[in-house]
Amino acid sequence: MPRLSQVLAPRGREFFDLFEEAGGNIVRATDLLDQLLRGWPERRDLAREILICEQEGDRITHDVIHALNNTFVTPIDREDILELVSSLDDIVDFVEEVADYLGLYKIDAPMEQSQRLAHVLAQAGRQIAEAMPRLRNFDDMSHYTVEVNRLENEGDRLGREAVASLFEE
């Protein structure tokens, strides 16, 4: 029979494993989107691979929720765990949505800005994945957050460029 201290002690190492798994899934999905947009329409088959990443993200999220329901004391607040895993899953969900829209809207050729934006997103995905192992020991992640913020600003600029180009043509 387990001792009370073993039951109450925050273990939850599986949460960190799942966060790292989600980070790897983000890298795969964002890299696939980058390839998809650079090779569209010849590489439309990559949309199926992105859908598989989306389903994998859902599985990871469900695994985290299951672990939360079976863990008495967590290494991080429950709400923070849920928010983090949901946010990580949202990234892959949005990537899959973009891939799906390419086919649904019968896009002939993606705008150059969207190709550049997908590349920026892939870079941000790598930063997120590299940051995830640092959660395990609560190491400093400021380098990663600064870089993701810089990439977000670059993405925002590309988005504005894309909208402006629609009015030019």
Side-chain angles (χ1 to χ4, degrees):
M1 174 159 222
R3 294 167 53 167
L4 185 59
S5 64
Q6 291 173 320
V7 173
L8 294 179
R11 293 167 306 195
R13 295 333 256 167
E14 69 268 28
F15 294 111
F16 300 113
D17 294 340
L18 290 165
F19 294 151
E20 290 176 30
E21 197 175 338
N25 194 45
I26 288 170
V27 168
R28 178 158 167 66
T30 57
D31 282 347
L32 286 167
L33 181 65
D34 189 21
Q35 293 172 40
L36 176 68
L37 284 169
R38 282 187 283 119
W40 186 264
E42 292 80 16
R43 296 301 316 268
R44 70 177 58 234
D45 60 305
L46 295 176
R48 175 75 182 133
E49 295 299 314
I50 293 171
L51 176 61
I52 292 168
C53 289
E54 190 277 331
Q55 293 166 343
E56 181 66 7
D58 290 345
R59 191 230 8 114
I60 293 166
T61 301
H62 294 144
D63 287 353
V64 168
I65 291 169
H66 179 74
L68 275 174
N69 290 335
N70 292 305
T71 305
F72 186 70
V73 178
T74 58
I76 304 172
D77 287 341
R78 291 174 180 281
E79 296 81 14
D80 293 338
I81 290 171
L82 272 175
E83 186 173 343
L84 178 57
V85 77
S86 294
S87 296
L88 295 172
D89 184 49
D90 285 347
I91 295 167
V92 180
D93 289 345
F94 292 136
V95 166
E96 191 274 329
E97 188 175 334
V98 170
D100 195 33
Y101 282 150
L102 286 169
L104 287 174
Y105 293 158
K106 298 176 177 41
I107 302 296
D108 292 326
M111 297 174 66
E112 183 230 337
Q113 291 91 345
S114 67
Q115 293 171 322
R116 290 174 28 214
L117 189 56
H119 186 69
V120 168
L121 182 61
Q123 291 175 311
R126 283 189 286 282
Q127 292 296 311
I128 290 167
E130 289 176 22
M132 289 300 101
R134 301 185 69 78
L135 279 175
R136 194 176 292 273
N137 297 316
F138 303 103
D139 293 332
D140 180 39
M141 294 176 34
S142 59
H143 164 77
Y144 300 100
T145 57
V146 167
E147 183 60 11
V148 168
N149 185 262
R150 184 191 71 75
L151 291 165
E152 177 188 9
N153 291 338
E154 186 175 342
D156 290 344
R157 184 186 52 76
L158 287 168
R160 289 189 299 272
E161 269 184 36
V163 171
S165 75
L166 292 174
F167 289 100
E168 289 175 3
E169 298 173 16

